[in-house]
Amino acid sequence: MSDLDPLLRLRQSIAANEAPITTKSPDPASDPTENLAVATHLQFSNPHYSYPLDTPTRFISSDKPVDLRSIWFAWQKKDVAIPDYIASAQELNEELAGKDSASKVQNLVFVERLDLITWLEGASEESEYIKGLESDASATRSAQVASGAAGGVSTIPSGAAGVRGGRTVDPRLQEIYNGERRMGDRNSVLR
């Protein structure tokens, strides 16, 4: 799955200085176009793979996935000032509406756009707006089980509650003791 993720593929192509091209069809031999209003696919050269520009990505804005067209547009306009970026997005949306297309470029707010560009450039490894891959979710679950935060084998408290070392303990302090992780060395485990 991760090798077919459009965001990851875009990041890898940017790192390799092999920018993808926009085309009018999924065919690699089709006419490339610079105009995002008429383009329908984003073509990667190594390895050859084409994604429709309407493909939703893992980048989440306003609780909705952002399409590849909006991501590519934000990358192309990375060096443009915010007012010019917003004006360009409105112009492109008007062109798309004039072509009776259901597509629309989503205008990313400054923080989202900055986070996306930083992640695509490789300057950061994480983004709060990019949802993890399924393989990342299973790794997180495994880490939680290993740390004892979730699942796994529950601990069995030793001794009576409220009594520690033959004396009574404050109930609030006992709650803290119950939350502690039980530790033992090799010999105490073997007993």
Side-chain angles (χ1 to χ4, degrees):
M1 171 79 186
S2 65
D3 58 357
L4 296 178
D5 178 52
L7 266 182
L8 204 52
R9 184 72 59 97
L10 181 58
R11 184 179 185 186
Q12 291 167 349
S13 70
I14 289 169
N17 286 329
E18 297 175 354
I21 57 171
T22 49
T23 61
K24 296 178 185 177
S25 74
D27 181 27
S30 72
D31 295 331
T33 180
E34 293 289 320
N35 187 353
L36 272 175
V38 296
T40 58
H41 288 77
L42 191 61
Q43 189 82 39
F44 292 90
S45 60
N46 191 13
H48 289 289
Y49 200 83
S50 179
Y51 292 99
L53 286 172
D54 295 333
T55 303
T57 64
R58 295 181 296 128
F59 192 88
I60 306 297
S61 175
S62 304
D63 295 327
K64 295 186 312 187
V66 177
D67 66 341
L68 192 56
R69 183 186 311 267
S70 300
I71 299 289
W72 181 243
F73 179 77
W75 173 254
Q76 286 182 319
K77 303 294 182 184
K78 67 180 174 154
D79 296 325
V80 175
I82 295 297
D84 296 335
Y85 168 75
I86 293 170
S88 298
Q90 288 174 345
E91 287 176 23
L92 182 56
N93 283 334
E94 289 171 6
E95 280 185 64
L96 287 167
K99 298 195 182 312
D100 294 329
S101 173
S103 301
K104 183 179 177 183
V105 171
Q106 185 172 344
N107 186 10
L108 301 176
V109 296
F110 176 76
V111 176
E112 293 172 339
R113 183 173 162 234
L114 181 65
D115 193 55
L116 173 68
I117 291 168
T118 304
W119 186 82
L120 286 173
E121 288 175 335
S124 75
E125 291 300 315
E126 294 179 356
S127 169
E128 66 181 279
Y129 300 103
I130 297 177
K131 191 171 56 171
L133 294 169
E134 286 80 20
S135 60
D136 293 344
S138 65
T140 303
R141 173 76 177 137
S142 296
Q144 288 175 342
V145 169
S147 69
V153 179
S154 62
T155 59
I156 301 171
S158 62
V163 177
R164 188 168 179 103
R167 59 178 190 228
T168 47
V169 180
D170 182 30
R172 290 179 297 169
L173 190 56
Q174 185 61 41
E175 278 185 46
I176 294 170
Y177 287 149
N178 289 340
E180 289 180 350
R181 190 171 191 182
R182 306 289 183 241
M183 301 292 290
D185 62 354
R186 179 181 177 275
N187 291 333
S188 62
V189 169
L190 292 175
R191 288 184 199 162

